[in-house]
Amino acid sequence: MGIGTSIFLIALGAILTFALDASVGGINLDVVGWILMGAGVLGLIMTTLIWSRRRQVVTTTEQPVEYQRVEERRDIAPPM
């Protein structure tokens, strides 16, 4: 569940709990709203935990170092 979905569930649950004054036979909309808000908060916490763990992993790759061979000739005088 992503951050957007969690925020949507929280908003939908708050609307069902606090703003809506309707009754459906056999279903208490206040309880459904609280359940949706709880699921949204739980999803938001889980998403932030997963994203924070993903950001902590650092991978480094070492490129092979190419050495240049330098030869020094001693039989020839250095340039002037």
Side-chain angles (χ1 to χ4, degrees), residues 47-58:
T47 302
T48 54
L49 288 176
I50 290 172
W51 280 102
S52 66
R53 180 176 300 155
R54 185 176 295 174
R55 289 185 184 150
Q56 288 177 354
V57 176
V58 177

Side-chain angles (χ1 to χ4, degrees), residues 7-52:
I7 292 173
F8 176 75
L9 286 178
I10 293 170
L12 183 64
I15 290 170
L16 287 177
T17 302
F18 303 117
L20 194 62
D21 191 23
S23 60
V24 178
I27 297 175
N28 189 352
L29 292 179
D30 289 339
V31 174
V32 173
W34 282 108
I35 290 172
L36 287 176
M37 284 192 291
V41 169
L42 184 65
L44 192 61
I45 291 170
M46 295 299 292
T47 302
T48 54
L49 288 176
I50 290 172
W51 280 102
S52 66

Side-chain angles (χ1 to χ4, degrees), residues 49-74:
L49 288 176
I50 290 172
W51 280 102
S52 66
R53 180 176 300 155
R54 185 176 295 174
R55 289 185 184 150
Q56 288 177 354
V57 176
V58 177
T59 335
T60 57
T61 57
E62 293 183 16
Q63 297 293 330
V65 179
E66 295 182 18
Y67 295 101
Q68 293 182 355
R69 186 173 177 182
V70 178
E71 293 183 9
E72 183 179 335
R73 294 188 63 178
R74 297 179 186 235

